[in-house]
Amino acid sequence: MHTWVPALLSVTAAVLIAGGTVMRQRASYASGAIARGWWLGAVVAVTGFGAQAAALGLGSILLVQPLVVLAILFALPMEAWADHRWPLRIEWAWGAVLVACVTVFLAISRPEPSARRPDELLVVVTVGAVIVGVLCCVIVAERSNRHYKSLCYGIAAGTLFGVSALLVKAVAVRLIHDLNRALLYPELYLFAVVGVAAIFMQQRAFGAGELQTSFPALTVMELAVSMALGVALLGENLKVSVPTALFLGAVLAVMVRAVLELTKLAAVRAEEIAHRAHRPDGSSLS
């Protein structure tokens, strides 16, 4: 129950988030504005985030977040279908690496949800410290060139999305176990603030124009920060020996590399589509 249900919800969330992202991306590039297809994609993506929230409420962050990252993989055939092409071999290769790493990590680690509830004061202090770090990233970004501006905003957005995962889990737990008093807890309001800030930072990162820089940084930071906070604040851990833990660390490193490569490929395609959309004849770039 604590493994299969949140795992199924996580995979469902990954599929829906991937589909919603591709639909919004294609609709906005095709028309140059927010059209009906964009809103439909937004509804699909929000449904995916709802499934992710339910998974976080029932399962461990260490289980849910690696599975949600598979959205990058699910987007491959969806993007290929939208572009009327077959996915590239390099895409399938890194996709296979990602699936293998996630499977090995979860099969060996078998993460389970912690019985510890996040201390309210500790959560507030942690979020405050993260916001200070994000503000430092913003200051550096505004004083940097286009490349580092995109990188810094990507790091800031990914960090805030990682914190949002922790807050979503905290809010979901409150709703499941203490619905009548859920509005009295600060996690709900912290999530609202952090979520809005994360979306703003994401748009600033994408607005810098270098998706191949900001997108990978955002994706990896969200995964790393959410898992680190799950261990630090919720007491989630992997009941494995030291050699096994080192092996799992190496698996995570390879998984991060696969995520980076897939997000770079996706970012390059997104920029190519944007350029084609702005060409008068609609032809592809050479």
Side-chain angles (χ1 to χ4, degrees):
M1 178 68 178
H2 290 299
T3 300
W4 290 107
V5 173
L8 181 60
L9 286 169
S10 300
V11 174
T12 301
V15 173
L16 292 173
I17 291 171
T21 300
V22 172
M23 292 170 66
R24 285 180 296 158
Q25 186 184 68
R26 293 308 185 271
S28 60
Y29 286 150
S31 64
I34 296 178
R36 181 181 300 177
W38 189 95
W39 288 109
L40 180 58
V43 171
V44 173
V46 169
T47 304
F49 291 131
Q52 181 183 5
L56 286 169
L58 296 172
S60 165
I61 289 180
L62 298 180
L63 168 68
V64 174
Q65 291 303 102
L67 288 174
V68 172
V69 166
L70 292 178
I72 298 170
L73 176 64
F74 294 136
L76 283 179
M78 297 178 186
E79 289 179 327
W81 178 80
D83 293 338
H84 305 288
R85 66 174 179 85
W86 288 100
L88 302 175
R89 289 183 180 179
I90 187 65
E91 294 174 329
W92 283 124
W94 282 114
V97 171
L98 178 59
V99 171
C101 288
V102 172
T103 302
V104 170
F105 176 79
L106 295 180
I108 295 178
S109 63
R110 297 182 180 275
E112 296 181 356
S114 171
R116 182 196 301 180
R117 296 291 178 264
D119 180 78
E120 294 178 13
L121 178 60
L122 185 58
V123 169
V124 172
V125 171
T126 301
V127 173
V130 169
I131 290 176
V132 171
V134 168
L135 290 176
C136 291
C137 283
V138 171
I139 294 173
V140 173
E142 292 299 323
R143 296 180 179 180
S144 303
N145 58 30
R146 178 179 174 181
H147 174 77
Y148 286 104
K149 182 176 183 179
S150 178
L151 176 63
C152 289
Y153 272 118
I155 291 173
T159 300
L160 290 174
F161 277 120
V163 175
S164 295
L166 172 75
L167 295 175
V168 165
K169 180 172 179 62
V171 171
V173 169
R174 300 295 189 191
L175 292 176
I176 292 173
H177 298 286
D178 195 8
L179 179 60
N180 293 331
R181 300 182 58 197
L183 295 178
L184 300 178
Y185 293 103
E187 293 92 342
L188 178 63
Y189 305 100
L190 282 174
F191 169 67
V193 173
V194 172
V196 171
I199 294 172
F200 175 76
M201 293 297 172
Q202 182 186 49
Q203 293 305 313
R204 292 288 292 173
F206 293 167
E210 288 196 352
L211 280 175
Q212 67 270 30
T213 299
S214 60
F215 194 24
L218 187 158
T219 304
V220 170
M221 285 301 297
E222 178 182 358
L223 177 65
V225 170
S226 62
M227 293 179 71
L229 291 178
V231 172
L233 299 186
L234 298 180
E236 295 186 1
N237 56 68
L238 307 177
K239 298 178 180 180
V240 296
S241 63
V242 173
T244 303
L246 294 175
F247 172 74
L248 290 176
V251 170
L252 283 175
V254 177
M255 183 171 71
V256 167
R257 174 65 187 277
V259 169
L260 285 172
E261 294 298 332
L262 288 171
T263 50
K264 285 179 182 178
L265 291 169
V268 170
R269 285 195 306 275
E271 290 194 338
E272 289 176 349
I273 294 170
H275 285 308
R276 288 202 302 267
H278 288 88
R279 287 172 65 89
D281 57 357
S283 61
S284 61
L285 297 176
S286 58

